[in-house]
Amino acid sequence: MALNLIMLGPPGAGKGTQAARFAKERGIPKISTGDMLREAVKTGTEVGLRAKAIMDRGELVSDDVMIGIVRERIDRDDARAGFILDGFPRTVAQAKALDGLMETREPLVVIDIVVPESELVRRLNSRVVCSNCGMNAESVAPQDIELVRCRYCGGRLVQRADDNESVVLERLKVYRRDTQPLVDYYCSRATFRSVDGSQPQHRVARDLAAAIEAARNGRVGLGVKS
Ligand code: AMP
């Protein structure tokens, strides 16, 4: 049975890290719309050129563009056995479009990763990522990024252009306004679960796996809200 998973949660909640870990374990693709856009910016495609300024301000790229990107991506062969979407949907319009794309597939499992806002600001302002593969570099202070290389691929470490203080606050504002309503959109579904993302990573991973299993079986799940 295909596992079609979406990870909700604010920027800095750990969606990307947890999605990467889970995707590797289950052998299904992690589809991060943020990574796809950053790649498009790097290679200078038309979408990338238009998205860059929007991303640098912490705002959202248009629903039409994002829905088109995701439609094309989940249609590829490697997503037949399932996928993990990280960073999509981010608006109710995107969620409705995704429901349309899922009509002939297994129902979505929806996991909301919950983290208090003060912790998010702290995490985002000190986050360091690999310029090549996009993975987070743990325990590297921003002032040390020139000295250390990515432990996954050896790439150079950088601070994301949108992880500076003013853009972080804007992204959290946009999250509250446009993306938080998705919790109401999904929470009455039997396949919706919440996980406490403020715990250490391995505990989040454990609760996430349990919540996904529970959601798939339609049982009452673990987590802060079920
Ligand atoms: P992320 O890496 O998920 O934090 O995404 C980085 C930036 O890419 C966001 O702040 C948005 O500008 C843009 N972006 C990523 N995913 C979406 C989406 N589903 N809808 C609109 N904009 C997006």
Side-chain angles (χ1 to χ4, degrees), residues 11 15 32-35 37-38 51 54-56 58-63 66 86-91 94 127 160 162 171:
K15 299 186 297 294
S32 157
T33 45
D35 285 351
L37 288 171
R38 279 184 288 279
I54 299 170
M55 294 169 76
D56 284 349
E59 293 167 8
L60 294 183
V61 174
S62 79
D63 288 334
M66 297 314 302
D86 157 27
F88 184 95
R90 255 181 161 94
T91 64
Q94 292 179 13
R127 177 159 73 176
R160 259 174 58 168
D162 57 355
R171 285 160 65 208

Side-chain angles (χ1 to χ4, degrees), residues 72-130:
E72 189 272 327
R73 180 64 188 86
I74 66 176
D75 262 351
R76 288 202 219 151
D77 282 348
D78 68 341
R80 293 260 165 263
F83 53 78
I84 306 182
L85 276 170
D86 157 27
F88 184 95
R90 255 181 161 94
T91 64
V92 171
Q94 292 179 13
K96 287 184 173 162
L98 182 60
D99 279 341
L101 298 177
M102 299 306 296
E103 267 166 16
T104 54
R105 299 175 194 242
E106 289 294 324
L108 288 171
V109 169
V110 184
I111 303 292
D112 183 31
I113 303 193
V114 181
V115 177
E117 192 156 319
S118 54
E119 169 69 6
L120 297 171
V121 173
R122 192 191 63 73
R123 286 186 189 179
L124 291 167
N125 285 333
S126 60
R127 177 159 73 176
V128 173
V129 300
C130 174

Side-chain angles (χ1 to χ4, degrees), residues 5 7 20 27 30 43 45 61 71 79-80 89 94 100 114 125 146 152-153 172 174 180 182 184-185 198 203 216 222:
L5 179 65
M7 308 273 271
K30 167 188 131 157
T43 50
T45 66
V61 174
R71 180 189 298 120
R80 293 260 165 263
Q94 292 179 13
V114 181
N125 285 333
E146 297 293 340
Y152 301 100
C153 72
L172 290 172
V174 168
Q180 185 111 53
L182 290 182
D184 285 336
Y185 181 81
S198 64
R203 294 239 174 96
R216 291 183 92 182
L222 299 170

